[in-house]
Amino acid sequence: MSQLRGEDKRNMLEYERSLWEQDYQWLAGVDEVGRGCLFGDVVAAAVILPRGLVLEEVNDSKKLTPKKRELQYEIIQKEALAIGIGIVDVAMIEKINIKQASRLAMKLAVEQLKPVPDYLLVDAERVSGDWAQLAIIHGDAVSQSIAAASIIAKVTRDRMCLQWDLEYPEYGIALHKGYATKLHRERIVELGATSMHRPSFLKKILLEAEQQQLF
């Protein structure tokens, strides 16, 4: 776990090493999951890893199998100096829009961190506040800190989806995690939306269903 392995792992610490050389001590990776879902809360995580630590299998959560994500989740929980989770519910998503809700979830996650981070590495976003930070496009694929945050956020939300699936078993939430799959769209049209669905995300789906009925 402490050995560099190949060019990819060197690249995954490129941003962190640059900041360590500038005497930043507490670097937090920040990412969110659920932004594109039709259903459920948006979840963000912020993670501070020890300086110089290399987690060889940590990568963009989307590139890992569920089993590997769970394993890396446990490793990150053990090795991290601090982890924060931010959750913003459907009502707030609808009130302030998904972009602002994602930023709010990130801010809530960062505010939980102790020690307080002195620099944020954020996946393609800006966290509201006075923190020094850098937004990195596809950050979860090029920064170990952001990748760790993506895994924590993804596993956290996936576990929430298992609970939601028990509450709304007809919609298949455990399978698609709230994203706009064919099954999910069909169930929404057939059964209607629940209180956990995001109304602003459903307009196109419901309009298309209505137009098909007309013809």
Side-chain angles (χ1 to χ4, degrees), residues 160-203:
M160 294 166 66
C161 285
L162 295 179
Q163 181 60 43
W164 293 331
D165 189 67
L166 296 176
E167 298 173 23
Y168 305 99
E170 304 90 349
Y171 292 84
I173 303 301
L175 296 173
H176 52 65
K177 307 301 188 293
Y179 286 93
T181 63
K182 183 174 184 290
L183 170 65
H184 194 189
R185 296 195 309 271
E186 289 175 347
R187 294 297 166 83
I188 292 169
V189 172
E190 176 186 354
L191 303 172
T194 71
S195 61
M196 291 292 294
H197 280 96
R198 305 173 185 175
S200 61
F201 284 56
L202 303 182
K203 292 177 182 178

Side-chain angles (χ1 to χ4, degrees), residues 3-10 54 56-57:
Q3 298 296 313
L4 286 174
R5 188 178 67 185
E7 188 65 28
D8 287 346
K9 291 314 301 178
R10 287 196 291 274
V54 176
E56 292 186 357
E57 302 300 325

Side-chain angles (χ1 to χ4, degrees), residues 3-20:
Q3 298 296 313
L4 286 174
R5 188 178 67 185
E7 188 65 28
D8 287 346
K9 291 314 301 178
R10 287 196 291 274
N11 289 341
M12 287 288 280
L13 283 171
E14 180 179 348
Y15 289 98
E16 285 87 343
R17 290 189 188 283
S18 174
L19 291 165
W20 289 328

Side-chain angles (χ1 to χ4, degrees), residues 87-211:
I87 299 173
V88 175
D89 64 18
V90 172
M92 184 59 70
I93 291 171
E94 291 296 305
K95 182 177 180 180
I96 64 176
N97 75 49
I98 187 59
K99 182 177 180 64
Q100 296 306 319
S102 297
R103 287 182 168 181
L104 176 58
M106 289 180 171
K107 181 179 181 180
L108 293 172
V110 173
E111 287 176 342
Q112 293 180 23
L113 295 175
K114 287 182 175 51
V116 176
D118 51 14
Y119 204 98
L120 309 181
L121 294 171
V122 189
D123 187 37
E125 261 297 356
R126 176 169 180 81
V127 181
S128 300
D130 296 330
W131 298 284
Q133 60 188 281
L134 177 66
I136 305 172
I137 303 300
H138 302 306
D140 49 6
V142 297
S143 163
Q144 178 177 268
S145 300
I146 298 176
S150 79
I151 291 169
I152 295 295
K154 174 65 173 168
V155 172
T156 298
R157 192 177 189 279
D158 282 358
R159 292 178 178 180
M160 294 166 66
C161 285
L162 295 179
Q163 181 60 43
W164 293 331
D165 189 67
L166 296 176
E167 298 173 23
Y168 305 99
E170 304 90 349
Y171 292 84
I173 303 301
L175 296 173
H176 52 65
K177 307 301 188 293
Y179 286 93
T181 63
K182 183 174 184 290
L183 170 65
H184 194 189
R185 296 195 309 271
E186 289 175 347
R187 294 297 166 83
I188 292 169
V189 172
E190 176 186 354
L191 303 172
T194 71
S195 61
M196 291 292 294
H197 280 96
R198 305 173 185 175
S200 61
F201 284 56
L202 303 182
K203 292 177 182 178
K204 183 178 180 181
I205 294 171
L206 297 176
L207 178 60
E208 288 176 351
E210 183 179 334
Q211 290 174 341

